[in-house]
Each structure stands twice: as C-alpha cells, then as structure tokens.
Amino acid sequence: MEKGFYCISQDVKIIKHDEQYLLANPKIGTWVKISANLFDLIVSLSQKTSDSIGDLIHSMSGKFCVSENDIWDTVHRLEEMGLLIDKAKIRQEIPAGSRHIIFAVTNACNLKCSFCSNIRMSDSRHHDVRLPTEMGLKQIEHVARILALSKTPTGSITVSGGEPIMRGDLPEILCILKSMTKANIGLNTNGTLWTKEICKLIVRHVDAVTVSIDGSKPEVHDKIRGVGTFRKAIDCIKHLQDAGLGKIGIRAVICKQNIDDIPNLMSLAKELNCAFHANGLMKSGNAAENSEIVCTEPHENKNMRRMLLERRLQEGCLAAEHIMWIFNYARSRCQAIHRNLYIDADGSLYPCNKLATDEYGLGNLAMASDLESLIESSPITALIDSYDIDNKPGCRGCDVRYFCAGGCIADDIAREKDGLTVDCDKESRDNLVNLLWNWRDDMTLEESLALALDGPSLDLMND
C-alpha cells in the first residue's frame, strides 16, 4: 500500500473518554479505541502533505519509541477499516457491508404457540400444501435474483415462517437461494415434522439449522408448544447430526413459563453439542393477547442476563473476547433496512421482522425490478434514518451511543414510545461505559467478567 497522506473519513464519529479516543464508522460498522497519542498523530497526518509526512512519522517514532514501520502498519490498518482515507482517494465510496435477510417462505404452521409474534400466522395443519398467498418457485427465483444484484450484498439469509418444512418444495427453495445469492443460509424450525429423509435433503442446501426448544424436558417445553413436541425436536437435532450438519443451534424464547428452566436448557444444549441462543418475548401476535407470560419486570431481565453469562462461563462455552460481543458493530441508528430486511411469504418487503406490518411495508419484491428502488423511494426509510442517535438530545453526549444506537425502534413502537425518546437507565449506561473503556485485549476471562457482571447491560437475551 502506498504511503500517502491521510485524513479521518467523513463517515467517522469520534468520542473522547479521559485519555482515550474511539473512532467509529457506523456506515460499515468498524471501530477502534486508541490512545490520545495515536489520535494526535492521526490529526497531524491529516494536516500534512505527502512531502512532509515522512518527517512526522520519523519524529513520532523517536518520541514514543515505536518503529516507523509499526506506525505505518497502524495507519494502513485504520485505512483498511474505513477510518482513515488517503486524500487521493477521498471520493472513493466505502462499501456498506453485507445485509441479513429473514425470509418467511410460509405463514403456515402446525403449532399454535402462545407467544408467537408472527401476526400473519395461519393455523393450517396441512403439510406440503402451499397457501394461495405464498410465492411459487419462479417468484422466489425472481426475488433471489434481485438480492444477488443488489448494491449491498446479501451475506446471510435465515429461512423462517411459519414452519418452513410445511412447504413440500422447501429443498428447491433453499437450492435457489443458495445457488443464486451465494449467501450463508440458515433455517429456523420447530423441529416437529422432520424425518431422516427430509434431513438428508435439507442439509445439502443450508449452512445451519436452529431448532426451537423452550424447556429442558417435556414438562416445560410441551406446556408451551404442545404435547409430544419436545421429543420430536430432540429427534430432529439427532437426525440433522446424523445427516452431517455441523452447525445446529437451540433457540429458546424466554417467558415466565420457562425462565427458571433456562439453566437446565443450556446444559441440554451443551450435551447435544448445539449452540444456545435466547430471545426475549415481544408483545405482538399471540404474545400481545397473552401478555401475562412476558417477562417485563426489571429484576427479571437483569437476573436473566447475569444468569446466562455466568452459566456460559460454567459450561465452558464463553471466552474473554465474547464479553465484548455487544461492541462488535458500531452503528448510529437501528439497522432495519440498511443491514436487515424481512421478506414475507407473498414477497412483501419490510424493514425487519419486528416491523412486518402494512404500516411499514416497503413494497413487494415479487413485482419489483430491483431492491434499491423500493428502499430509496419509501418514506419508511427516511423515518428510520431520522432515528439517528445523534438526533436524540439526551444521547448526544453518551460515551457508548454508537453501540446502543438508541435501541430498537420496533420495541419503542410496541411500548408506544417516541423513537427519539431516551430510554435507558443510568445503571445500564454506566456499566456499558465501564465495559467499553476499561476492557483490554489482554484481560483474562475473570477480569472481563468482573466488568461485565457489574451491571445489567449485557443483553444476552437477544444474541
């Protein structure tokens, strides 16, 4: 890489905390925490011409006892991260990263869970029957082509529903999505309809499957999803493993009916050699009518986060760097539309699965010529963009604002709150500040946990 002359990218946001600086590029999600000395060097670089930059590097090398090559390596690394830009390339557009798609290929389901958030769910019990509103293979192929040609590449697609396996042509759908988009394909399922033969067909076209299990034993799980469903879900996992699939996960929806059983469910996941994921319950669909099962008390959520973190440590499935997962991606607003999209079974496009209502519809991909025209012409895009964290008066001075990004717009809407209203508590904010600015790469797991468990802010219920 040429030794040019540099400036901080116009997309970069800067936060100063004591003697440290954070450079974050929400456009592509990259960030770095640096010392005041390195920040001063970067500022100095932006004020130099290519003729004098070598003298500056030489001077800094002697001042801080660091080799000139190490300084140049750091500068070039910051350029690769989109935080510094060579002035000669200042007009060069930085890629905005990849997008994650949730694709509900059907709204039919063989179960009727009390907390299901899909407002379009059909209670159809007919396996292998495509509902009249669902796209056929030709239309799905058209949608896949649009995703493949989008300016923002599709990095991953989660095929969901309803229950995806209700569609007898699911293997063909997965094949189309995998071959045309080249994305990583995941599949969510309740695991109750899978046979050994189906598993062998499906694993050819997916990279991962996540099975919904909400209890460690039938007495808990079956009470939530129906009699006999626990055994079938466990059998599904074993069939997938026998078919050679390496990435299998268990996902639990945490509610009052299973909150005390979650530690046992995590142990079951480890025993089955499955990743464990957990989601909090959102008040939509059936859950809106059964709100008594939602964990809403502050102490419930706080205790759950702490328990999940401690349990992961005990089970040996947590490393020190995992403590920092919440800071993996810098952002200045909700990632709906720009990083996440939801496609319904009829081709309707929405900002995310939580905003999949007519009010927030972006159009229909089955009838569109390209993705960008739907997104750019929609007033919903402008609405979501207006929720930028820097537009929130109460958040502008926060030292962790580019990781919180103001929270989830859909959650604010569900709680009937203004999306520009500050909605965090001081304890959570102080904990995040402590974790971000005091965590170091060389920390042991125990030291990291001491930071992480100092408050309730690590939201492991939505990882």
Side-chain angles (χ1 to χ4, degrees):
M1 193 177 292
E2 294 293 325
K3 296 182 179 181
F5 48 113
Y6 299 86
C7 65
I8 296 174
S9 167
Q10 62 183 2
D11 297 316
V12 167
K13 311 288 186 179
I14 301 172
I15 297 177
K16 183 179 185 297
H17 182 88
D18 295 333
E19 294 303 311
Q20 298 182 88
Y21 285 82
L22 184 136
L23 307 183
N25 188 336
K27 183 177 180 181
I28 56 177
T30 55
W31 68 276
V32 68
K33 189 172 62 176
I34 61 176
S35 66
N37 289 333
L38 180 53
F39 181 77
D40 290 342
L41 171 62
I42 291 170
V43 172
S44 298
L45 285 175
S46 66
Q47 299 170 348
K48 298 292 182 179
T49 66
S50 58
D51 293 332
S52 61
I53 200 169
D55 292 336
L56 174 65
I57 297 295
H58 180 73
S59 172
M60 290 291 183
S61 173
K63 182 177 180 180
F64 299 112
C65 299
V66 179
S67 73
E68 292 184 32
N69 284 337
D70 285 344
I71 294 177
W72 277 118
D73 286 345
T74 300
V75 169
H76 291 156
R77 176 61 180 143
L78 293 175
E79 183 183 10
E80 291 171 355
M81 294 174 70
L83 302 174
L84 286 185
I85 292 183
D86 189 323
K87 289 183 179 179
K89 308 173 185 175
I90 197 166
R91 296 185 182 277
Q92 179 178 327
E93 185 174 349
I94 298 174
S98 62
R99 182 180 277 126
H100 173 63
I101 306 289
I102 296 180
F103 189 175
V105 296
T106 181
N107 285 314
C109 187
N110 60 316
L111 303 181
K112 196 171 183 180
C113 302
S114 59
F115 52 55
C116 180
S117 61
N118 190 333
I119 62 174
R120 292 175 176 78
M121 191 70 72
S122 166
D123 60 359
S124 170
R125 301 297 195 273
H126 304 292
H127 186 204
D128 288 355
V129 176
R130 180 166 67 90
L131 298 178
T133 55
E134 295 173 357
M135 291 185 290
L137 294 180
K138 287 293 184 183
Q139 291 171 303
I140 291 175
E141 189 174 303
H142 174 73
V143 169
R145 185 177 298 108
I146 288 177
L147 295 179
L149 296 175
S150 173
K151 293 178 183 177
T152 302
T154 300
S156 59
I157 300 174
T158 297
V159 175
S160 186
E163 169 51 46
I165 208 70
M166 293 285 286
R167 289 197 59 154
D169 56 358
L170 181 62
E172 290 86 348
I173 293 173
L174 296 172
C175 182
I176 290 171
L177 295 175
K178 185 69 174 176
S179 62
M180 294 187 68
T181 69
K182 311 301 181 186
N184 287 322
I185 306 296
L187 180 68
N188 291 342
T189 177
N190 61 39
T192 60
L193 298 174
W194 293 63
T195 64
K196 291 182 179 180
E197 291 69 26
I198 290 176
C199 288
K200 291 176 182 177
L201 289 173
I202 296 298
V203 297
R204 300 173 187 172
H205 310 297
V206 297
D207 298 285
V209 172
T210 301
V211 182
S212 295
I213 299 183
D214 298 305
S216 66
K217 50 192 175 183
E219 291 83 352
V220 179
H221 177 90
D222 288 3
K223 186 176 181 180
I224 296 171
R225 293 191 177 260
V227 177
T229 55
F230 177 80
R231 187 68 262 165
K232 291 177 180 178
I234 297 296
D235 287 344
C236 172
I237 291 173
K238 293 180 177 179
H239 293 334
L240 288 168
Q241 290 171 334
D242 290 343
L245 185 63
K247 292 185 177 180
I248 304 172
I250 287 175
R251 183 175 297 279
V253 178
I254 299 177
C255 60
K256 290 184 183 293
Q257 294 165 299
N258 66 1
I259 190 169
D260 294 331
D261 189 48
I262 296 301
N264 299 325
L265 182 53
M266 294 181 74
S267 297
L268 176 63
K270 182 175 176 60
E271 179 184 325
L272 293 171
N273 197 29
C274 293
F276 178 78
H277 312 277
N279 286 107
L281 196 55
M282 191 176 109
K283 289 185 179 181
S284 65
N286 290 343
E289 301 174 5
N290 299 285
S291 58
E292 71 278 0
I293 67 175
V294 181
C295 298
T296 56
E297 296 300 322
H299 73 275
E300 290 178 318
N301 291 324
K302 179 177 178 178
N303 291 341
M304 180 54 59
R305 294 180 183 116
R306 181 180 292 268
M307 182 275 294
L308 288 173
L309 190 58
E310 291 176 333
R311 189 70 179 193
R312 285 182 173 184
L313 172 63
Q314 295 168 7
E315 296 292 345
C317 53
L318 186 70
E321 61 269 19
H322 294 160
I323 301 293
M324 294 291 287
W325 77 267
I326 195 171
F327 302 113
N328 281 348
Y329 185 81
R331 58 200 187 278
S332 62
R333 59 178 177 261
C334 173
Q335 295 301 287
I337 294 182
H338 300 289
R339 286 275 180 169
N340 303 307
L341 284 170
Y342 179 82
I343 304 172
D344 199 20
D346 66 353
S348 295
L349 183 68
Y350 301 94
C352 70
N353 60 316
K354 291 185 176 182
L355 292 175
T357 63
D358 293 341
E359 183 180 359
Y360 296 98
L362 301 170
N364 193 296
L365 279 181
M367 296 180 286
S369 58
D370 67 278
L371 180 58
E372 280 68 31
S373 62
L374 291 183
I375 292 176
E376 293 169 4
S377 64
S378 173
I380 302 303
T381 302
L383 173 65
I384 288 178
D385 287 349
S386 72
Y387 290 139
D388 191 284
I389 191 69
D390 287 323
N391 291 337
K392 292 188 173 188
C395 297
R396 289 173 187 159
C398 178
D399 287 349
V400 290
R401 62 186 179 275
Y402 297 120
F403 300 100
C404 160
C408 173
I409 295 174
D411 287 347
D412 283 345
I413 292 171
R415 295 192 296 260
E416 298 182 349
K417 290 187 176 182
D418 180 357
L420 293 178
T421 300
V422 179
D423 187 27
C424 68
D425 61 85
K426 185 178 184 301
E427 185 180 6
S428 292
R429 193 199 78 86
D430 290 348
N431 178 230
L432 278 178
V433 170
N434 184 43
L435 185 59
L436 174 63
W437 293 99
N438 292 319
W439 190 85
R440 305 185 316 274
D441 289 341
D442 60 352
M443 273 189 170
T444 65
L445 178 58
E446 288 71 23
E447 290 172 329
S448 297
L449 282 169
L451 284 176
L453 292 176
D454 192 39
S457 61
L458 281 185
D459 194 355
L460 295 176
M461 293 172 66
N462 288 294
D463 64 342

